[in-house]
Amino acid sequence: MANMPVSEMRLPPHLAHLLAARRLDTAKVSPPLPFLPPPPVAGLRPTPTSSNPRVRLSIQDVLSLPEVELMAVLDAGLPTARAAVAHVSEAACPPCQTALALLEERVRLGGGGRLATTLCGLDEALGGGIPVGKLTEVVGPSGIGKTQFCLKLALLGALPEYYGGLDGRVLYIDTESKFSSRRMIEIGQKSFPQVFRQEGLAQKMAGRILVTRPTSLTDFTKSLEQMKVTLLQHDVKLLIVDSMAALMSLENERATGFRQHPLRWTLSFLKSIAEFSRIPVVVTNQVRSQSNVDGYHFSFEVDKKDGNNCTGGFDSHLVAALGIQWAHAVTVRLVFESHSGHRFIKVAKSPMSPAVAFPFVVETSGVTLLSDEGIDVTGPEITSIRCQGKNVLAQ
C-alpha cells in the first residue's frame, strides 16, 4: 500500500478534519518512530495525543490501536472511532486488479519495470531482469562474485536508457568497504566500450553513484530514516546494500540477543522503500556453515580464521544467513555457489521462474555466463548452497 495523504482519501469531511487535527497524515509511513515516551504505569501503554509534539503516528499505526486507545487519540466516542477505522480502511485498501489488467500493464511498461542484468539467460528467467518495487537478495559464500555482480548493476543503474540502463542515480551502501571505483570503471570499459569512449561520460556516470559506508547497524538505521528523502532529491533509480549480514554480524558481537528486532525494522523499511519509490532494491547476504566447524557463523569468519575462501578448500553445505523471516520477505533470491571447479548463479526463488542455475565466470568485464541455457534444479538443491563438492547440477 503506497503512501496516501488524508486529503486524497475522500473521507467524510468531519473525519478528514479530525484526523488532520491530530497530525495523522498518511496511510502508511516508515516504521513507528523509536522515541515514544515510556509508559508512566507498568503494563499500560502511553496514550499519544496531539498535545504531545514528539509523538507522530501514521494512520497505519492508528488502525492497529485498540478501540479505547483510538478514542483517546481522536478525543472522540466509540461510534466515531469505529467509523474512522471503517472509512480509512476502505480508502487505504489497494483496489483489486484483474489478471488481464496486470498483464496489460506489464506490456505497457515494457517487461513490467525491470533492470536488465545483461546476462541474457538470467534476464529471461527473471522475466526481463531485476524487478522494480521488490527486494532481491544475492546470497553466497565470500569471494564468489556477489560484489562484482553489484558493481555491474550499479553501472547499469547509471547507464543511459538507450544503452539499456536506468539513466539515474544509484545509492550504494557499502558495509564491508568492498566498493572499488577502479574496478567498476574497468567493468564499464570492457562491458560498454562505446559508452566509455565518449569524452566525459564515464565521469558523469561515476558521479551518479552515491556510496555510503555505515560502520554499525545504528549508523545504517540512521541513514535509512533519511533515505526516502535522498531517493526523491537525487532521482535514485537503484538501491544496493552490500552486505546486510556483515552489519548484523558486527551487532551480534557487541550485543547478543539484539538481533531480531532491528532486522525486522530494517527489512520492513527496505521493502517499503522498494514499494514507495518503485525502484529495484538489491541486498547481498552471507552464508552460515552447516559443516562440523564449530564457532563459525558466517563464511567470511571462516576466511579470517583459516585464510581460505570458497575456492580454497572450505568444503561445506551452506545456508543463507539472517534466518527464515528474511528468506520469506525477499521476492527474488539469487544464490551464488561453487562446486567441482565451476561457479553457478541459481535462481532459487522467483515468482517468474522455476529453480534454474547458470554457470558463470568473473572476467575483467564482470560476471559473465558461460551458457544462457539454464540447468534445472530440483529437490533439496533448490534451497541448499554448495561450496565445492560434487557437481550435482551436471548429472
Side-chain angles (χ1 to χ4, degrees):
M1 179 178 62
N3 285 21
M4 182 185 297
V6 170
S7 59
E8 298 179 9
M9 287 186 177
R10 299 181 181 178
L11 298 175
H14 70 285
L15 283 179
H17 292 317
L18 182 62
L19 295 174
R22 270 45 178 192
R23 302 180 68 197
L24 308 177
D25 298 315
T26 61
K28 178 180 179 181
V29 295
S30 56
L33 299 178
F35 49 66
L36 292 178
V41 180
L44 181 64
R45 296 171 58 181
T47 301
T49 66
S50 57
S51 62
N52 187 347
R54 303 181 68 209
V55 178
R56 188 181 183 87
L57 298 179
S58 72
I59 289 182
Q60 179 185 1
D61 300 322
V62 172
L63 293 179
S64 65
L65 290 175
E67 289 181 339
V68 174
E69 294 189 28
L70 181 57
M71 291 165 59
V73 171
L74 299 178
D75 192 20
L78 182 59
T80 301
R82 288 178 173 174
V85 170
H87 283 288
V88 171
S89 298
E90 181 179 358
C93 181
C96 296
Q97 289 181 283
T98 66
L100 177 60
L102 292 173
L103 178 60
E104 291 174 344
E105 181 181 11
R106 183 172 183 270
V107 172
R108 178 177 59 82
L109 294 175
R114 295 183 180 258
L115 170 61
T117 67
T118 70
L119 305 176
C120 296
L122 180 61
D123 285 339
E124 183 177 354
L126 295 176
I130 306 296
V132 304
K134 308 294 182 183
L135 192 59
T136 297
E137 177 194 38
V138 178
V139 59
S142 177
I144 199 167
K146 301 186 300 296
T147 297
Q148 303 295 315
F149 184 72
C150 289
L151 291 175
K152 184 72 166 286
L153 291 182
L155 277 173
L156 290 166
L159 199 68
E161 289 184 357
Y162 49 85
Y163 288 114
L166 296 179
D167 197 19
R169 291 180 179 266
V170 176
L171 183 56
Y172 197 113
I173 302 178
D174 179 25
T175 68
E176 297 183 82
S177 298
K178 290 184 177 181
F179 181 89
S180 170
S181 299
R182 179 178 298 179
R183 174 59 178 146
M184 185 186 67
I185 296 298
E186 180 185 36
I187 293 174
Q189 290 173 337
K190 297 295 183 179
S191 302
F192 313 105
Q194 70 279 21
V195 178
F196 280 76
R197 279 197 295 262
Q198 299 182 35
E199 184 176 355
L201 190 53
Q203 290 80 358
K204 180 180 179 181
M205 289 179 57
R208 289 178 169 182
I209 300 174
L210 313 173
V211 181
T212 179
R213 290 191 168 113
T215 57
S216 67
L217 188 61
T218 301
D219 289 343
F220 181 68
T221 302
K222 289 180 180 178
S223 67
L224 285 181
E225 293 173 353
Q226 302 176 355
M227 193 171 292
K228 285 185 178 179
V229 176
T230 302
L231 294 176
L232 293 175
Q233 289 179 342
H234 295 281
D235 190 31
V236 173
K237 298 291 184 68
L238 171 65
L239 170 62
I240 297 174
V241 182
D242 183 22
S243 74
M244 193 66 228
L247 283 178
M248 297 308 303
S249 177
L250 289 173
E251 202 66 43
N252 287 342
E253 292 177 2
R254 297 170 182 170
T256 304
F258 181 60
R259 184 181 179 195
Q260 286 302 319
H261 175 70
L263 179 59
R264 286 196 300 267
W265 191 94
T266 303
L267 179 58
S268 174
F269 206 101
L270 289 174
K271 288 174 69 68
S272 72
I273 285 176
E275 178 186 351
F276 172 78
S277 302
R278 297 298 298 166
I279 64 172
V281 174
V282 178
V283 181
T284 67
N285 189 7
Q286 294 285 357
V287 292
R288 292 190 294 111
S289 173
Q290 285 189 327
S291 69
N292 293 325
V293 183
D294 293 329
Y296 298 157
H297 189 67
F298 296 106
S299 64
F300 57 79
E301 293 174 329
V302 177
D303 300 342
K304 293 176 183 177
K305 293 177 180 289
D306 293 347
N308 296 330
N309 60 19
C310 176
T311 59
F314 180 55
D315 190 1
S316 176
H317 286 267
L318 306 167
V319 295
L322 302 182
I324 193 68
Q325 184 182 39
W326 178 273
H328 282 305
V330 299
T331 301
V332 175
R333 167 172 278 183
L334 301 179
V335 173
F336 281 50
E337 60 183 358
S338 174
H339 40 83
S340 297
H342 298 284
R343 302 183 186 188
F344 294 86
I345 300 177
K346 179 169 63 181
V347 183
K349 179 183 179 184
S350 169
M352 303 296 297
S353 171
V356 61
F358 300 91
F360 78 94
V361 293
V362 178
E363 300 178 332
T364 55
S365 60
V367 172
T368 303
L369 297 186
L370 295 176
S371 172
D372 290 324
E373 296 295 326
I375 304 170
D376 292 336
V377 182
T378 59
E381 292 302 321
I382 295 176
T383 55
S384 67
I385 302 175
R386 300 289 303 278
C387 190
Q388 295 190 352
K390 188 177 179 179
N391 187 357
V392 296
L393 296 176
Q395 293 182 344

